[in-house]
Amino acid sequence: MTPTLSTPALVLHTTKYAETSVIAKIFTRQLGVRSYILKGVRKGGSRTKQNLLQPLSHLDLVVYNNPKTSINYLKEIAPHVDAENPAASDTDAVRYALRFFMTELLYKTLREEEPMPDLFDYVVESCRFEDGELSHHPIRFLLTVSQYLGIAPLDNYSSREPLFDLQEGRFCYSGTQALDPTPSQLLHYYLQAVNNGQPLPITTLNQRIALINNLLQYFQLHLADFRNFKSHEILHSVLQ
């Protein structure tokens, strides 16, 4: 008999399966990223409502855990205790766009390999969206996730090495893929904020948009199969 396991989880992606079911890619705290079949969720009268499967919905699951198959079944699914319903709480466009941005980043970077409980806890905390830092949230999230993925930019900024090279992942004097002085310095300030608790820099909307695009390019250079990222375009439009 296939053993079961209880775990908190975050929804990353769903795909229709058969007539009434879905396959959900879910970031679980206990097992890492896993795929599960939810039988009958799309038919009328289903006990499992599809609004539980919104991006980054925080759930409590009981899952069948057969290591010999890549797709298992869910036995039980419920909202996590004290978790906010994203469909109800994200009433403004910025928070909703941020949630989609975070979801796409995790979906495109996490692999079905091993548990990452510290990252899971960080994502849960990040979904609380502190009002004073919404405009900085995407950059902070990108930089923090890069640490968990092992591709964090090296903050060796100095007057002798003031330009950040996207390919090398560090600051340098010059480079074929080096950012200009202003975005390089802003990246340094953000790294100071993320790594050392320094205050977030004062930036313009255009500077933040440009730096988000730079960091997505950085992810593409350092992670295989990271491509066709789209949600930042929606985020840019609502940040206007």
Side-chain angles (χ1 to χ4, degrees), residues 49 55 93 174 199 235:
K49 303 302 181 184
S174 65
L235 184 62

Side-chain angles (χ1 to χ4, degrees), residues 109-110 114 116 119 142-154 168-169 218-219 222-223:
T109 58
L110 299 185
E114 59 185 28
M116 302 180 74
L119 175 58
L142 282 161
L143 291 176
T144 304
V145 170
S146 75
Q147 295 176 346
Y148 287 102
L149 298 177
I151 60 167
L154 178 65
E168 296 298 324
Y218 176 79
F219 271 68
H222 293 272
L223 291 175

Side-chain angles (χ1 to χ4, degrees), residues 129-158:
F129 298 131
E130 296 182 16
D131 288 336
E133 297 188 3
L134 285 180
S135 61
H136 300 282
H137 192 285
I139 297 173
R140 181 190 285 276
F141 191 74
L142 282 161
L143 291 176
T144 304
V145 170
S146 75
Q147 295 176 346
Y148 287 102
L149 298 177
I151 60 167
L154 178 65
D155 187 20
N156 62 308
Y157 177 87
S158 70

Side-chain angles (χ1 to χ4, degrees), residues 50-66:
Q50 288 196 67
N51 63 1
L52 283 179
L53 304 177
Q54 295 291 320
L56 292 187
S57 288
H58 192 185
L59 307 173
D60 285 324
L61 306 180
V62 178
V63 303
Y64 292 102
N65 184 32
N66 182 352

